[in-house]
Amino acid sequence: MMGLKQIFALLWVVTCALQGCFSINSIEHVAAQQKLRAAWQANQHAIWQIEGAQLPVGGPMVVEVWQVGRQYRWEILESSAIQLVGETLIFNGHEAWRYNRFEATPAQFKTTSSTLMPITAVFALVTTYLIQPPIAATDQTTWLLRNESETITLIFADETQLIMELATGLPKSIKLVRGGKTMMLKARQMDLLARPMKGLFAPCCP
C-alpha cells in the first residue's frame, strides 16, 4: 500500500496535469528583455487578436502577420470598423505598398509611408518597451499536461509591465499594462517562417 507521502506526491502530479503548476522567480532583467526581443523579432507567421485601449475602434481586431527580418506583410482580417477589413500593407525593407485585398480590382500603390494604423501603433508600442531599459523582471514557468510555457514580466520605472508568454521560443500572448490601461495581443496562430513563399513581400502576390 502507498504511504501518505506517496499519495500526496501522486495528488500533486495529478493536480499539475489537470490545472498546471508554476514557479515564479526574479531573473536578470537585461537578459530577460533580450530574450523577449528575440522572440518578438523572430521570422514568423502569426495571427494576432488585439484588444485594448490602443485601438480607436471598439472590439478586438485581428491581423495576420508575416515577417522576415525588416520585411513584413500585414493583413487585417477582422475589425468592427468594416472599412479596415482587408487592408493590407507590404514592406520589403525599402518600399511599401498598401491596398485592400477584398476589392474586385485592388488599387495597388507604392507609398513612402510603411504604416497601417492602428496596427503600426500597437506593434511600435510593444517594440518601444522591448528597447527601453527595465528595472526588474520575473519568470514564471507553467507545466500543463505535457505542455510547458514560460511567462516573462518586464517591470519599468514608470510602473508599466510588459508580460509575454512564450511557447517553443515564440510569443503566445503579450500584455502591456500601462497607466492603468491594458493592451492584449493573443496569438491565434504562431509559427516560425523559415521559408517564405516567393513574392510574399511584393504587391503582386500571393
Side-chain angles (χ1 to χ4, degrees):
M1 295 181 65
M2 290 193 299
L4 285 177
K5 288 185 178 180
Q6 288 84 359
I7 292 173
F8 283 127
L10 179 60
L11 288 174
W12 183 85
V13 171
V14 172
T15 300
C16 282
L18 295 177
Q19 299 181 5
C21 286
F22 61 88
S23 59
I24 301 177
N25 303 291
S26 294
I27 55 175
E28 206 283 314
H29 55 276
V30 175
Q33 185 180 48
Q34 290 173 344
K35 185 173 185 176
L36 297 192
R37 190 185 307 153
W40 176 243
Q41 296 175 343
N43 297 345
Q44 58 191 258
H45 171 222
I47 298 178
W48 287 108
Q49 177 173 312
I50 306 170
E51 305 173 4
Q54 305 309 127
L55 295 178
V57 294
M61 178 175 288
V62 178
V63 59
E64 189 165 10
V65 173
W66 296 262
Q67 68 180 42
V68 175
R70 294 183 65 240
Q71 304 177 99
Y72 54 80
R73 182 189 187 104
W74 301 340
E75 295 183 5
I76 296 178
L77 304 182
E78 300 175 21
S79 173
S80 57
I82 302 301
Q83 69 274 16
L84 290 178
V85 177
E87 284 296 298
T88 300
L89 177 70
I90 301 170
F91 183 64
N92 67 4
H94 304 284
E95 298 176 312
W97 296 267
R98 181 174 171 180
Y99 59 91
N100 191 302
R101 67 187 185 91
F102 290 129
E103 292 179 2
T105 54
Q108 300 177 5
F109 59 91
K110 185 167 63 176
T111 173
T112 56
S113 173
S114 56
T115 61
L116 176 61
M117 299 302 288
I119 305 302
T120 300
V122 170
F123 289 172
L125 192 56
V126 173
T127 299
T128 295
Y129 280 97
L130 290 175
I131 297 173
Q132 182 175 321
I135 60 172
T138 64
D139 176 271
Q140 174 181 315
T141 301
T142 303
W143 299 271
L144 180 59
L145 297 176
R146 295 184 178 181
N147 298 319
E148 178 180 322
S149 66
E150 180 182 22
T151 301
I152 294 176
T153 300
L154 301 180
I155 303 165
F156 298 87
D158 64 357
E159 299 185 350
T160 294
Q161 292 188 25
L162 188 145
I163 305 157
M164 186 183 295
E165 182 182 1
L166 303 174
T168 63
L170 291 172
K172 184 178 178 183
S173 69
I174 301 170
K175 181 186 289 187
L176 186 65
V177 182
R178 177 172 173 257
K181 298 179 180 179
T182 299
M183 181 179 74
M184 187 76 181
L185 287 76
K186 300 177 184 177
R188 292 186 177 180
Q189 177 180 332
M190 174 63 72
D191 302 292
L192 279 172
L193 185 57
R195 293 187 182 130
M197 71 171 65
K198 185 178 180 180
L200 180 62
F201 302 111
C204 61
C205 323

